[in-house]
Amino acid sequence: MKLLYLVYIALLIFAVYKLTPAILKHLALKALAEGKNDKAVSLYKSASDIFGGNNQYKTEYALVLMRLGEFARAESVLNGIILDRKIPQKDKINAKTYRAMARHKLGRTYEAQEDMTELFKTAKSTVVYGMLGYLKQLSGEAALDFCKEAYDYNSGDRDICDNLLVAYIRTGDFSEADKIAADLREKYPHFVEAFYHSAVLELKKGNIQTAKEFLNRTAECRRSMLTTVSEEDIENLRKEIENA
């Protein structure tokens, strides 16, 4: 009887250990969906720190901070993961990639691109391809070959597809751009970038009314501090369309 009781206690402790972080994460996401950002951040921090810390949850916690515009705090959290010698290098890839976005948002784009270029030499993943492609295109280059390589790696990823769409627009391959744009709009109807870049594409093709319609759709999309198209970008494109 005593042995059964001890087994029961052990199982209960194990369940608490396993389930508590997940429950806290669920509550954090619920709070985030309800617009209770401070509560969400607090709960996610607890989920990532409890019982000695969970690296996956810490990375997710940093992402939540970035979505809310807390890029310096996010970089600090990600640095903690990256500098922890106990964590295998393969488990630090996402943390390094998201840190690059944080650094870009903090105005250190050159540093971010250097980090990602170095990371790409040893680690190729969907998030690495997506982030490095985005950073390459910030200078105005198409980076078409790289974006095609990324698309071959994962043709189903939203960000990789958006990068390839930009590359096709910049190289004037509007036929291929059309295919990518239509697919993005269908699969991700709340993705700001899909409709913004569709509007850019239609403007370049001379389809002013369609460009205007796509640009107007951005108002129905979901936006966060990680959205790569700013409100200023949208307004500037609106003026360009009106003056076309």
Side-chain angles (χ1 to χ4, degrees):
M1 191 69 177
K2 185 177 180 181
L3 179 60
L4 286 175
Y5 177 74
L6 290 174
V7 170
Y8 172 77
I9 294 298
L11 288 172
L12 182 62
I13 293 171
F14 179 77
V16 169
Y17 179 81
K18 280 292 187 181
L19 294 177
T20 299
I23 291 170
L24 288 170
K25 172 185 170 178
H26 172 75
L27 292 173
L29 292 174
K30 184 173 182 291
L32 198 63
E34 294 171 351
K36 300 174 182 176
N37 294 342
D38 290 342
K39 182 179 180 181
V41 167
S42 177
L43 285 166
Y44 230 122
K45 185 177 189 309
S46 297
S48 66
D49 287 345
I50 199 168
F51 305 136
N54 179 303
N55 295 322
Q56 177 61 34
Y57 283 3
K58 283 181 180 178
T59 303
E60 293 175 13
Y61 168 51
L63 268 176
V64 169
L65 288 172
M66 289 203 291
R67 290 186 185 281
L68 299 175
E70 297 281 352
F71 297 107
R73 287 176 65 186
E75 182 184 14
S76 178
V77 172
L78 295 167
N79 278 337
I81 299 170
I82 293 163
L83 297 175
D84 190 336
R85 293 182 179 179
K86 299 189 296 295
I87 300 174
Q89 287 299 317
K90 65 182 179 64
D91 294 337
K92 298 180 180 182
I93 294 172
N94 282 0
K96 289 180 178 179
T97 304
Y98 299 140
R99 184 180 66 175
M101 175 57 85
R103 287 179 169 176
H104 161 59
K105 290 288 187 176
L106 289 167
R108 292 148 55 198
T109 302
Y110 180 76
E111 184 180 351
Q113 186 167 345
E114 275 197 328
D115 288 348
M116 290 308 302
T117 301
E118 191 63 30
L119 180 61
F120 187 72
K121 294 176 182 177
T122 57
K124 292 177 174 59
S125 71
T126 295
V127 291
V128 171
Y129 267 116
M131 182 63 68
L132 184 53
Y134 167 69
L135 291 171
K136 281 176 175 288
Q137 290 180 330
L138 285 175
S139 66
E141 71 169 298
L144 180 60
D145 289 342
F146 181 85
C147 291
K148 281 184 175 180
E149 180 183 327
Y151 188 77
D152 288 341
Y153 183 87
N154 186 352
S155 62
D157 181 71
R158 185 187 74 173
D159 296 327
I160 283 175
C161 289
D162 186 54
N163 290 343
L164 183 57
L165 170 57
V166 172
Y168 279 136
I169 291 172
R170 289 180 178 174
T171 55
D173 192 340
F174 297 156
S175 176
E176 289 300 320
D178 275 330
K179 297 173 189 175
I180 299 291
D183 192 51
L184 273 175
R185 293 193 305 270
E186 181 182 354
K187 290 181 179 176
Y188 306 101
H190 301 291
F191 185 37
V192 175
E193 287 86 342
F195 290 93
Y196 173 82
H197 290 132
S198 292
V200 171
L201 173 60
E202 294 303 321
L203 177 60
K204 286 186 175 294
K205 290 161 58 182
N207 300 327
I208 307 304
Q209 185 57 37
T210 307
K212 188 180 298 184
E213 289 170 4
F214 283 142
L215 192 64
N216 287 340
R217 288 285 301 278
T218 60
E220 304 167 18
C221 297
R222 299 192 188 104
R223 174 177 288 280
S224 79
M225 293 301 292
L226 287 176
T227 301
T228 58
V229 174
S230 69
E231 293 285 5
E232 183 181 3
D233 291 332
I234 290 172
E235 289 310 308
N236 286 340
L237 182 59
R238 194 181 307 280
K239 291 174 185 175
E240 193 176 343
I241 291 171
E242 289 172 355
N243 294 328

